[in-house]
Amino acid sequence: MNLFQTYVKHGMWESYKVLGSMNILGDPIGWTLSVGGGVKQFFLKTGSDVMTGEFEGEGFKSLVQGVVGGTAAHVGKFFGALGDTVDALTQTGGQNYLPGNVNHVGDGVIVGTQVFGQHVVSGVTGLVAAPIHGFRNKGWRGLGEGFLKGVRGAVAQPVS
């Protein structure tokens, strides 16, 4: 194998890593590492518990953290990327909302409800504001264009 073929082979291998860790896919490599790490720690800690005779349940805790935590993070990244894609496709000018710390499911539900509510309000506001803005800039044609933009935003904002 010559030098060029070696570089192409290694480049192809690295491209799979890059594609696999893209957020639009929800970072499947990160998910695999998290779940795999949880399973590995489960066996290591449970084996240690068996050897010492003290069953503390640390292995099970690591398994649940790796599998459930990794999967929840993966799903969150996927839907975040999906929302960004919808924003980009509909050109609604999505707002980046930084919720702060989300420590448990209850916090996540509250923050998700807040973000959804903000997007609904933004969509309804655009339904009124876009036709007015269009009319001011382009007259009756702008009114029609603004109405279509407002309807698009009213649908896309809550989805994103």
Side-chain angles (χ1 to χ4, degrees), residues 20 64 87:
V64 170
D87 276 342

Side-chain angles (χ1 to χ4, degrees), residues 14-48:
E14 294 301 317
S15 68
Y16 291 127
K17 290 180 185 177
V18 170
L19 289 174
S21 63
M22 290 176 63
N23 272 340
I24 192 143
L25 302 174
D27 190 15
I29 288 179
W31 174 75
T32 304
L33 292 174
S34 177
V35 170
V39 171
K40 178 182 174 185
Q41 288 300 315
F42 169 74
F43 285 113
L44 289 175
K45 290 180 179 179
T46 303
S48 174

Side-chain angles (χ1 to χ4, degrees), residues 62-157:
S62 295
L63 177 67
V64 170
Q65 285 177 339
V67 173
V68 174
T71 302
H74 170 75
V75 169
K77 284 183 179 181
F78 175 77
F79 281 112
L82 184 63
D84 292 344
T85 302
V86 169
D87 276 342
L89 290 175
T90 59
Q91 299 172 349
T92 57
Q95 303 163 347
N96 292 335
Y97 177 73
L98 301 175
N101 290 337
V102 176
N103 297 318
H104 53 78
V105 174
D107 288 346
V109 169
I110 291 169
V111 168
T113 303
Q114 290 172 343
V115 170
F116 180 74
Q118 288 177 345
H119 284 192
V120 167
V121 169
S122 176
V124 171
T125 303
L127 189 60
V128 174
I132 293 170
H133 181 71
F135 184 72
R136 286 182 182 161
N137 290 339
K138 295 183 181 178
W140 291 105
R141 179 179 176 159
L143 178 73
E145 290 174 1
F147 177 74
L148 292 176
K149 284 183 183 180
V151 169
R152 180 180 67 191
V155 172
Q157 281 291 340

Side-chain angles (χ1 to χ4, degrees), residues 50-65:
V50 168
M51 297 301 273
T52 61
E54 299 176 9
F55 294 101
E56 298 176 9
E58 290 295 318
F60 184 71
K61 181 180 175 184
S62 295
L63 177 67
V64 170
Q65 285 177 339

